[in-house]
Amino acid sequence: MKLNRTLISISLAVVGLNAFAWGQKGHDVTAYIAENNLTSTAYANVTELLDGKSIVYWANWLDNASHTPEYAYSKTWHYKNIDDGYDYEEAPLHKDGDIVRAINQQVVILQNPNASRTDKQLALKILVHLMGDLHQPMHMGHASDLGGNRWTVNYFGRDSNLHSVWDSSIPESAHKWTYSEWNDQINRADPAEAALIIANGSPEKWGEETFDICRSVYTLTPEGTKISYDYVAQWTPVIEIQFLRGGLRLADVLNSIFDPEYKPSNTFVKK
């Protein structure tokens, strides 16, 4: 009986992990790509603020923290739900905040010379996670189906939902890589391509870009879709570019904040 209870507990834990945004692997990939594109000054300042730990170490922290009383206020910060029929700019705003506004808030804190070290540490941990979530298409999904969590599909013969499929199932089916191997394989943009990815950016623009992908995902994945190899092949390049975009843009934001000599490519981090 004790063994059965233990197995049940483990199973429930695994189910909970699979529900996380981008999956743990995706957040690690985004953070590691960012870390590999930090300037030496930004890297040193970020590492010092995090007491020697990597941004990868904290990449998934907020998924757990948001379910604790202390950080419950951040639950709505992981997404910006936009129902069918609304354009990005006209969608109603959630009263408790959303991912776009939350990213802007963390940047303001990190740039505030009067903010405490504790507040800046928290803002950095939140920012690292949310920049990953911002590039997961289903985080711009419909409020009516909880960002695809109630949009039922069948994934290689098992019942699932669209959000879970995009969080972890497709990335893990596409490549059985560690987060460092993901970085080695997709963090290969030439300077011109990287410059286009980060040029004149802002959370608002990046969110709208992700929203456009999300609308295509819904259109091409009707409820009840039986997902198999062809679907994985179709969408893997999109996931790869979203990981890369998230990582390069996070690096640009952190370089802009933590390296006084760095010239920002974005339009919302003020020097």
Side-chain angles (χ1 to χ4, degrees):
M1 181 64 70
K2 288 183 179 179
L3 178 60
N4 288 340
R5 288 176 180 172
T6 300
L7 291 174
I8 290 171
S9 298
I10 293 173
S11 298
L12 290 174
V14 170
V15 170
L17 288 173
N18 286 340
F20 288 163
W22 256 155
Q24 292 185 340
K25 181 74 65 63
H27 279 291
D28 289 345
V29 172
T30 300
Y32 195 56
I33 290 174
E35 186 172 78
N36 278 273
N37 286 277
L38 294 179
T39 67
S40 57
T41 299
Y43 178 83
N45 287 331
V46 165
T47 303
E48 190 280 329
L49 182 59
L50 294 177
D51 297 325
K53 287 188 169 62
S54 164
I55 57 174
V56 179
Y57 181 91
W58 294 106
N60 286 281
W61 173 79
L62 193 63
D63 270 331
N64 290 313
S66 292
H67 293 281
T68 66
E70 184 177 4
Y71 301 106
Y73 63 84
S74 67
K75 283 184 178 179
T76 65
W77 291 8
H78 296 254
Y79 55 85
K80 179 181 173 70
N81 284 155
I82 303 171
D83 272 326
D84 192 26
Y86 285 100
D87 289 330
Y88 179 82
E89 293 181 350
E90 66 183 19
L93 297 177
H94 197 292
K95 64 180 180 61
D96 295 324
D98 59 57
I99 190 169
V100 172
R101 287 179 285 167
I103 288 175
N104 283 317
Q105 290 166 10
Q106 308 322 303
V107 170
V108 169
I109 293 170
L110 288 169
Q111 289 195 295
N112 181 0
N114 297 316
S116 69
R117 179 181 177 86
T118 298
D119 286 347
K120 288 188 175 184
Q121 284 178 328
L122 178 60
L124 179 54
K125 295 172 189 177
I126 292 174
L127 177 63
V128 169
H129 183 85
L130 295 186
M131 283 293 289
D133 278 351
L134 185 65
H135 292 82
Q136 206 279 51
M138 299 317 300
H139 281 250
M140 295 289 162
H142 304 157
S144 58
D145 56 53
L146 304 182
N149 277 290
R150 292 179 177 171
W151 192 274
T152 58
V153 295
N154 184 279
Y155 194 80
F156 285 93
R158 62 177 175 83
D159 291 336
S160 187
N161 65 75
L162 194 56
H163 194 107
S164 178
V165 163
W166 273 82
D167 272 351
S168 299
S169 299
I170 300 176
E172 292 294 347
S173 293
H175 304 296
K176 293 296 184 184
W177 294 334
T178 64
Y179 70 81
S180 60
E181 289 170 332
W182 270 95
N183 172 75
D184 291 344
Q185 295 302 318
I186 69 172
N187 185 16
R188 298 186 176 205
D190 61 42
E193 182 184 359
L196 285 174
I197 288 174
I198 63 177
N200 299 317
S202 69
E204 290 80 10
K205 289 183 178 179
W206 301 331
E208 185 170 12
E209 176 186 71
T210 302
F211 170 65
D212 288 340
I213 297 172
C214 180
R215 287 202 291 193
S216 295
V217 172
Y218 273 116
T219 299
L220 298 174
T221 320
E223 282 200 87
T225 295
K226 293 183 178 180
I227 294 174
S228 189
Y229 299 100
D230 56 342
Y231 189 94
V232 174
Q234 177 184 7
W235 290 108
T236 292
V238 175
I239 286 175
E240 291 173 353
I241 190 61
Q242 288 301 96
F243 282 169
L244 182 61
R245 285 169 173 168
L248 292 179
R249 289 165 178 171
L250 175 57
D252 185 53
V253 172
L254 296 181
N255 286 334
S256 301
I257 296 170
F258 290 99
D259 185 347
E261 303 300 319
Y262 183 80
K263 184 178 180 180
S265 300
N266 53 72
T267 58
F268 71 105
V269 180
K270 309 300 181 184
K271 280 293 190 185

